[in-house]
Amino acid sequence: MKELNKRIITSLFLLLILTISFKNNIVLFLLLLFISFLALLEFNSLFKRIFKKKKFRHFLIMILALCYTSSFSLSIWYFLIQENEIIKFSLIFLLMICVATDIGGFTFGKTIGGKKLSKISPNKTYAGVIGSFIFSLIIGYIYYEFFKDKLNFNINITILILLISLISQCGDLFISLIKRKAKIKDTGSILPGHGGILDRIDGIMLTLPLGMFIILL
């Protein structure tokens, strides 16, 4: 329960900071720059452990890491500087789904346990995947009912929520794979209950750009 409380508090705190930044482009820019910088530092630390003396491979993979973090930051910046209320509420919707996915997966995984999903992440279970989808549907529908007049989705809401939750889980597994290759548990220690910045935004980094692309189709 202590671990769950940390996840909830950290998630709400980050959500609050991001929501506040939506109102000020300068704050948003600095926030995204700071997050990208921390993410790149952690990527560099991970890949140093993976590639060790293979400096050229390390250099090439860091270019890909830069592209990955930049696609996240620049896409969010591009969407929000348009001062479009629908886009802002859509982004918060995506963030809520990511948070629900994380908390749902942790809650069901710890409570029910069961068969492991993959060797990539030993803590991930099939029960956790189901929990992620259930929590996402609950939170997604609640948010949608409250703010549907400020949202404009061209896709069925149930399909959208499940798809966004799936993308978030894939982002989580992607970082878990890198951590497994690096033989470490956390990407860092900057966030209580989560480790590093990549431990917290693993699903978000993949979800926000792809999610907005899907929503705006």
Side-chain angles (χ1 to χ4, degrees), residues 18 24 40 48-49 62 109 126-127 175 183-184 188 200 203:
L18 286 172
N24 189 305
L40 280 174
K48 269 186 178 180
R49 296 175 65 94
M62 280 306 298
Y126 284 98
I175 298 300
K183 298 180 181 179
I184 60 172
R200 173 63 274 179

Side-chain angles (χ1 to χ4, degrees), residues 149-161:
D149 59 320
K150 299 182 182 298
L151 300 169
N152 183 27
F153 299 150
N154 296 316
I155 182 174
N156 179 273
I157 184 64
T158 301
I159 294 175
L160 177 61
I161 293 172

Side-chain angles (χ1 to χ4, degrees), residues 61-78:
I61 204 69
M62 280 306 298
I63 292 178
L64 293 177
L66 176 61
C67 293
Y68 186 63
T69 55
S70 297
S71 66
F72 162 72
S73 300
L74 293 177
S75 62
I76 303 309
W77 173 253
Y78 170 75

